[in-house]
Amino acid sequence: MPTNKPTSQKKPQVTASPERRRELLDTAAEVFAAQGYNATTVRKIADAAGMLAGSLYYHFDSKESMLDEILSAFLTELWDGYDTVLAAGLGPRETIEALVTESFREIDRHRAAVAIYQKESRTLSAQPRFHYLSDSQQKFEKAWLGTLERGVEAKVFRADLDIRLTYRFVRDTVWVAASWYRPGGQHSPEEIARQYLSMVLDGIALRPT
């Protein structure tokens, strides 16, 4: 007896409404972020969505497909915002301010996806399907390092600034916010970005008068 089911017996793919598909992906993102990709099963996602595991397969062929869609949607939106900032012809400081603000907005929109990216991207990027994660990281690094270098050359930032160390500090302190930020909280993404930029760019020590 053949072990593979004939094509005619496979479950047909059902096209969910965009709203329902978004709901399912949002649920999957929360489960991935909380439990980790490897520990998450389709059944766990289905349980969180209040449906049978078999029913979830009508919408997505695997948990890998769900994760791919979650991460690619997040990065597409992130780069739409970043590319707009980088093409605006702003000065180095203004570019940093706009990139940080856009980053906090993305954390507000895609908190779970950011958390997944933080935890899983290094492992996932080794897989051909997720190689775009490495490409995005390289593009991200180039944008930030280039802006910092431009600021040093323009004497907007200190000449003794360690560019790579500064980049890593800014990157990590911005994106780690996904671990504590909750949408709809006391502060808007723009307000958090403003406070963050004040500390990073101007320091926290009181300047002598």
Side-chain angles (χ1 to χ4, degrees), residues 89-191:
L90 303 173
R93 178 174 176 131
E94 291 76 18
T95 299
I96 292 292
E97 290 173 343
L99 289 175
V100 167
T101 302
E102 187 61 36
S103 298
F104 279 109
R105 287 171 179 159
E106 289 306 313
I107 292 172
D108 180 63
R109 298 176 187 128
H110 299 283
R111 186 203 61 80
V114 173
I116 298 166
Y117 183 87
Q118 292 285 88
K119 297 176 185 177
E120 311 280 0
S121 61
R122 182 172 297 181
T123 301
L124 289 171
S125 60
Q127 302 177 30
R129 181 167 189 168
F130 292 98
H131 189 69
Y132 63 85
L133 298 177
S134 293
D135 295 339
S136 180
Q137 178 58 40
Q138 291 172 14
K139 184 180 177 182
F140 186 91
E141 183 173 315
K142 182 179 178 181
W144 281 84
L145 290 176
T147 303
L148 290 168
E149 289 169 354
R150 187 159 59 91
V152 171
E153 291 171 359
K155 298 183 180 181
V156 174
F157 303 140
R158 297 198 328 255
D160 64 340
L161 201 66
D162 185 314
I163 298 297
R164 189 162 292 276
L165 182 61
T166 302
Y167 156 69
R168 289 173 177 167
F169 171 76
V170 173
R171 176 197 64 190
D172 292 349
T173 52
V174 167
W175 293 108
V176 76
S179 66
W180 55 261
Y181 178 82
R182 293 295 180 271
Q186 182 179 358
H187 301 294
S188 69
E190 292 78 13
E191 172 61 18

Side-chain angles (χ1 to χ4, degrees), residues 13-16 20-21 24 51 55-61:
Q13 290 290 302
V14 174
T15 302
R20 180 54 175 161
R21 190 176 185 84
L24 293 173
M51 61 195 304
S55 298
L56 196 58
Y57 280 113
Y58 280 113
H59 305 288
F60 304 96
D61 60 19

Side-chain angles (χ1 to χ4, degrees), residues 186-199:
Q186 182 179 358
H187 301 294
S188 69
E190 292 78 13
E191 172 61 18
I192 294 173
R194 188 186 69 78
Q195 292 281 350
Y196 173 87
L197 286 162
S198 176
M199 289 184 285

